[in-house]
Amino acid sequence: MAGKVLEVSGIRKRFDDIQAVAGVSFSIDHGETYGLLGPNGAGKTTAISMIAGLRRPDAGEIIVLGQPMTPTSREPKAAVGLVPQDLAIYPDLTARENLRFFGRLYSMERVELNRRVDEVLEVIGLTDRADDRADEFSGGMKRRLNIGVGLLHRPQLLILDEPTVGVDPQSRNAILESVEYLSGEGHAVLYTTHYMEEAERLCDRVAIIDQGEIKAEGTRRELVRRVGENDRVRIQTTGSSARAISRLEDLPGVVNALSGDGSIELIVEDASAVLAEALGIVAEVGTSVAAVTVDEPDLEAVFLHVTGKALRD
Amino acid sequence: MGVVLIVAAKDLAQRARDRSIFIIGIVAPLALAFIFNLVFGGGLSDVGENITLDMGVVDADRGPISDAFVGILSEIESDGLIDLTTYDDEAAARAAVDGGDVGAVFVLDAGLSDDIQAGSDGVIEVVGDVDAPTTTQIASAIAEQFAVGVRRGTAGALASSLAGVIGPEDIAAAAAEATTAEPALRIGAVPAATRQLDASTYFVAGLSVFFLFFIAGLAVTSMLDERREGTLARLLAAPISPGSVVAGKSLTSVVIGLVAMTVLVIASTFLMGATWGPLPGVALLVSAVVLAVIAIMTSVGALAKTPEQAGNLQSIVAVTMAMLGGTFVPISGGGFLERLSLITPNAWFLRGLGDMAGGDVSDAVPAAIVLLGMAVVGGGLGLLLIRRTVRL
Ligand SMILES: Nc1ncnc2c1ncn2[C@@H]1O[C@H](COP(=O)(O)OP(=O)(O)O)[C@@H](O)[C@H]1O
Ligand SMILES: [Mg+2]
């Protein structure tokens, strides 16, 4: 298939005094799963709302399958399936009624719709509960129904906005599996998350987004290469690490030092060269060490590298 | 159109599921109307066949004209329609009115006959008790009829025609057409609608419209619910126009409103003996008032940001309109308040039913046209305003 499923160029959106999206450009190929990885408030949901045609960007352009997407577009909207970050289902309708209603908005025919509803119920694991009201569902089940509605009309581009937030591990896994299943079926997927592991597991390419801008983009391998051949050292501590950080930053061979939740994270050129000295500093300032791990860099390290801050708050 | 129906069907399913719609649309108005009827029923239907109206007369003229007039009154009295007391002077008569002994008195001043026979205007003064509006209306009607006859110079002939032909319906009809040409006439005018609607119909009709306001409010609150449930995002992401969503929701309200009103008309007719009038006229007025109220409530609700806000705003408007429109207490006084009541669909609906109570369907048309006008104006305004709610 020629052309891109989605081409986003230079979109911007401002809310009063907040530049929520400050010039974002990227594109998605057929069959590709593309991730937007960024912390809360990075501008992911705002970007998605423009891409799905809910809002008009202040500037920039969105092309879906060769046609511009605006709030009044029909064809581009028909090609997109949206799974909003906030649950978007009717609590007083059953799972089946929810699916049927939204399916009909996409002009699905009755026979095809009924068949597809059963199919989707299977995919999201709600066949047994199909005729129960959504407000009787657990949080995870609601999330799964939320996703089911988005993929009902077999969209060529499925957009999922942080679909696993606030979900139990079992549902989370089911959600990730269904995304993998869809991408295996050849759907293009735009997936936003602030979980590094999800981006690593699902996405062919990832954009790191922060403060409304894409700071880096590429395959996992390409991104990790940006951090260089650096290693990541995580020192778990039991006391305050603030004093240690400032001295560790000045240590030769340390690219970046950051205090996490009861831990110190270091990006270093060569772990074996600096580890002993680093631990010495930590000991000197009176912070006791509980454990030390040395890793190859991951997307979290990349995030730290390109934004200078941790992905998690 | 397809999407409109899909949305309407979905909303209807939701509304039927939260049973409040049945309660607010049917059970509550019926129950309340029934209670109102028990409490006020007797007091409002004093035009009834077995009721005698207490009237008084002061004849200071003692001329041929006043004799004719008193003669007519006596004949009406002998038909059992009024109970006539004669007073010696105006002061005694007024005291009787103030004391509630009679509902209205006729004052025939000295020189009345001379004046009229000399070709100048004479005055029959009617002093009415504010608390006896119907009696006062009918007294004025009698005086008016008599004055018409005198002007034609056929007082004698009139006396017999009035006395011979007049019956309770005629008096009521005459009352409806009474004008208050007499000076010093202090009466409590009954609004147009009550002139001919019986008490139970009046209250059922009034309350139906009152509750219609709450049904109509659902169109906007359900739009705001979509926002709160997050489903608005999905509706906006779908390849449909936001206008058809609004249209679907309005259609839902229209359907529910029509069903509720139909049930009310039927149930009140059979359970409470309400007499709504000729079916085509009732259908016309009900349709018009449903559209008007939904249009008004859409505009009002569109000013709100949350379903709660919309609900509060709409309750205020519903109650205000009901009070101004005479739903709870018929508007009397004939002045500013009655004119003010004409901004409400409530008053026009009652007026339309009242106008039609004579049996002529075409009498309902003016009120229906006013209601449809309200629907068009309110609907246009509502569409302009509601765009804000169909947006992220
Ligand atoms: N409707 C809105 N009005 C005002 N500010 C908003 C609105 N939506 C988002 N924002 C702000 O824009 C920024 C980006 O938000 P969002 O796109 O939701 O980020 P993310 O989805 O990555 O967490 C945040 O600072 C947020 O507070
Ligand atoms: Mg978000």
Side-chain angles (χ1 to χ4, degrees):
Chain A
M1 266 180 281
K4 305 276 189 185
V5 174
L6 174 69
E7 292 170 82
V8 177
S9 42
I11 57 168
R12 306 174 66 85
K13 186 80 201 179
R14 186 173 190 88
F15 296 116
D16 301 326
D17 50 353
I18 298 166
Q19 189 69 48
V21 174
V24 162
S25 306
F26 65 93
S27 63
I28 302 182
D29 284 321
H30 287 275
E32 188 180 31
T33 300
Y34 188 93
L36 280 179
L37 175 66
N40 283 331
K44 304 183 294 295
T45 299
T46 306
I48 295 251
S49 71
M50 294 186 281
I51 292 166
L54 310 187
R55 288 182 207 283
R56 207 177 282 279
D58 296 338
E61 196 179 30
I62 295 150
I63 305 287
V64 174
L65 295 166
Q67 293 190 49
M69 170 69 95
T70 70
T72 53
S73 313
R74 295 290 171 94
E75 274 183 57
K77 283 189 175 179
V80 169
L82 174 65
V83 177
Q85 172 170 6
D86 300 319
L87 283 178
I89 50 177
Y90 297 104
D92 48 357
L93 297 184
T94 67
R96 190 187 300 281
E97 287 167 339
N98 268 288
L99 290 167
R100 286 183 50 87
F101 170 67
F102 287 110
R104 295 184 70 192
L105 293 187
Y106 287 82
S107 349
M108 294 181 74
E109 278 185 46
R110 187 175 297 269
V111 178
E112 155 72 358
L113 177 61
N114 288 340
R115 212 167 44 82
R116 180 66 179 160
V117 165
D118 288 336
E119 208 171 286
V120 167
L121 284 167
E122 196 72 43
V123 172
I124 57 178
L126 287 178
T127 305
D128 297 347
R129 305 293 302 273
D131 297 310
D132 290 343
R133 284 167 55 137
D135 54 10
E136 294 166 7
F137 288 175
S138 71
M141 292 163 71
K142 286 180 190 162
R143 287 251 153 228
R144 271 141 59 196
L145 177 56
N146 196 38
I147 292 172
V149 174
L151 49 89
L152 190 78
H153 63 287
R154 302 180 192 279
Q156 284 169 276
L157 173 64
L158 179 64
I159 303 178
L160 299 112
D161 193 6
E162 306 217 36
T164 59
V165 167
V167 155
D168 61 283
Q170 195 187 339
S171 279
R172 178 179 186 152
N173 204 45
I175 288 169
L176 296 182
E177 273 171 13
S178 54
V179 175
E180 284 169 330
Y181 164 83
L182 287 165
S183 108
E185 279 197 322
H187 292 266
V189 177
L190 172 56
Y191 190 97
T192 84
T193 182
H194 67 267
Y195 294 117
M196 179 266 306
E197 312 84 33
E198 292 183 4
E200 290 202 327
R201 171 170 163 184
L202 296 175
C203 300
D204 301 312
R205 281 190 303 143
V206 173
I208 287 175
I209 182 169
D210 188 36
Q211 295 182 325
E213 287 176 17
I214 291 185
K215 306 285 186 183
E217 185 202 44
T219 62
R220 179 186 185 280
R221 186 182 292 269
E222 286 165 355
L223 286 171
V224 167
R225 206 175 293 143
R226 287 177 67 124
V227 188
E229 298 300 301
N230 297 340
D231 290 331
R232 193 171 68 133
V233 176
R234 174 176 288 158
I235 305 170
Q236 280 182 281
T237 60
T238 53
S240 159
S241 50
R243 290 212 301 144
I245 295 289
S246 60
R247 286 188 54 191
L248 286 168
E249 273 171 353
D250 299 335
L251 195 66
V254 171
V255 179
N256 216 329
L258 205 109
S259 74
D261 190 16
S263 71
I264 296 172
E265 300 235 357
L266 301 175
I267 303 295
V268 299
E269 282 160 13
D270 181 359
S272 57
V274 297
L275 190 55
E277 216 173 334
L279 288 173
I281 289 172
V282 173
E284 247 179 76
V285 301
T287 304
S288 50
V289 175
V292 178
T293 49
V294 178
D295 284 317
E296 291 218 288
D298 57 15
L299 288 179
E300 197 149 2
V302 177
F303 191 87
L304 179 65
H305 182 73
V306 298
T307 68
K309 60 187 184 192
L311 188 50
R312 292 184 192 151
D313 7 61
Chain B
M1 194 59 200
V3 174
V4 176
L5 294 179
I6 293 167
V7 171
K10 187 270 293 177
D11 273 31
L12 274 175
Q14 284 180 298
R15 295 299 152 204
R17 208 157 283 182
D18 70 24
R19 257 159 287 160
S20 62
I21 194 65
F22 299 113
I23 294 167
I24 207 173
I26 295 161
V27 179
L30 274 184
L32 276 176
F34 188 70
I35 292 166
F36 268 112
N37 192 40
L38 287 181
V39 176
F40 297 115
L44 275 164
S45 51
D46 62 0
V47 200
E49 290 159 39
N50 304 321
I51 295 208
T52 308
L53 307 171
D54 293 318
M55 295 185 188
V57 64
V58 182
D59 184 2
D61 178 36
R62 301 219 169 264
I65 299 283
S66 66
D67 279 352
F69 186 69
V70 174
I72 288 169
L73 293 180
S74 307
E75 297 231 20
I76 297 175
E77 182 180 29
S78 67
D79 284 347
L81 293 169
I82 63 172
D83 200 352
L84 193 65
T85 313
T86 306
Y87 296 97
D88 290 340
D89 56 37
E90 190 176 336
R94 284 181 185 273
V97 170
D98 288 344
D101 297 340
V102 292
V105 289
F106 302 93
V107 180
L108 310 169
D109 286 330
L112 176 71
S113 297
D114 293 345
D115 284 349
I116 288 172
Q117 280 163 348
S120 60
D121 282 352
V123 170
I124 297 176
E125 196 178 339
V126 177
V127 179
D129 181 355
V130 203
D131 295 328
T134 311
T135 307
T136 308
Q137 282 280 22
I138 289 172
S140 339
I142 294 170
E144 177 74 8
Q145 287 282 36
F146 182 76
V148 169
V150 167
R151 254 178 253 133
R152 287 192 196 130
T154 53
L158 177 89
S160 61
S161 82
L162 257 183
V165 182
I166 205 159
E169 299 87 347
D170 299 317
I171 292 183
E177 278 163 28
T179 55
T180 53
E182 293 77 15
L185 180 65
R186 281 181 271 118
I187 60 163
V190 183
T194 54
R195 281 187 289 202
Q196 293 170 46
L197 274 186
D198 64 274
S200 52
T201 310
Y202 183 86
F203 279 109
V204 173
L207 284 169
S208 310
V209 176
F210 179 55
F211 280 88
L212 194 53
F213 273 81
F214 291 93
I215 295 171
L218 292 176
V220 175
T221 44
S222 90
M223 199 71 237
L224 294 165
D225 278 337
E226 300 271 5
R227 172 189 297 269
R228 182 168 57 185
E229 300 299 344
T231 43
L232 180 61
R234 278 229 152 86
L235 296 176
L236 293 176
I240 58 172
S241 88
S244 48
V245 176
V246 176
K249 290 186 177 298
S250 305
L251 179 61
T252 307
S253 293
V254 171
V255 169
I256 295 175
L258 286 176
V259 168
M261 290 296 280
T262 304
V263 171
L264 276 164
V265 170
I266 294 172
S268 60
T269 300
F270 288 105
L271 297 180
M272 299 168 52
T275 46
W276 290 77
L279 193 57
V282 175
L284 175 67
L285 285 170
V286 163
S287 310
V289 79
V290 165
L291 293 176
V293 170
I294 286 170
I296 290 171
M297 287 310 250
T298 304
S299 319
V300 170
L303 297 172
K305 287 235 164 60
T306 64
E308 288 76 19
Q309 249 180 31
N312 290 341
L313 263 180
Q314 289 173 331
S315 300
I316 293 170
V317 171
V319 172
T320 309
M321 291 273 190
M323 304 227 301
L324 289 181
T327 299
F328 305 119
V329 182
I331 306 284
S332 54
F336 175 69
L337 271 185
E338 192 174 2
R339 262 177 281 136
L340 189 62
S341 77
L342 297 184
I343 66 166
T344 69
N346 314 54
W348 282 103
F349 182 63
L350 293 171
R351 170 179 280 222
L353 288 174
D355 288 348
M356 190 175 62
D360 192 349
V361 174
S362 63
D363 288 342
V365 171
I369 288 175
V370 173
L371 288 170
L372 289 174
M374 290 182 173
V376 170
V377 173
L381 191 63
L383 279 182
L384 273 182
L385 291 173
I386 203 165
R387 285 207 211 142
R388 291 180 336 140
T389 58
V390 200
R391 224 182 262 166
L392 275 194

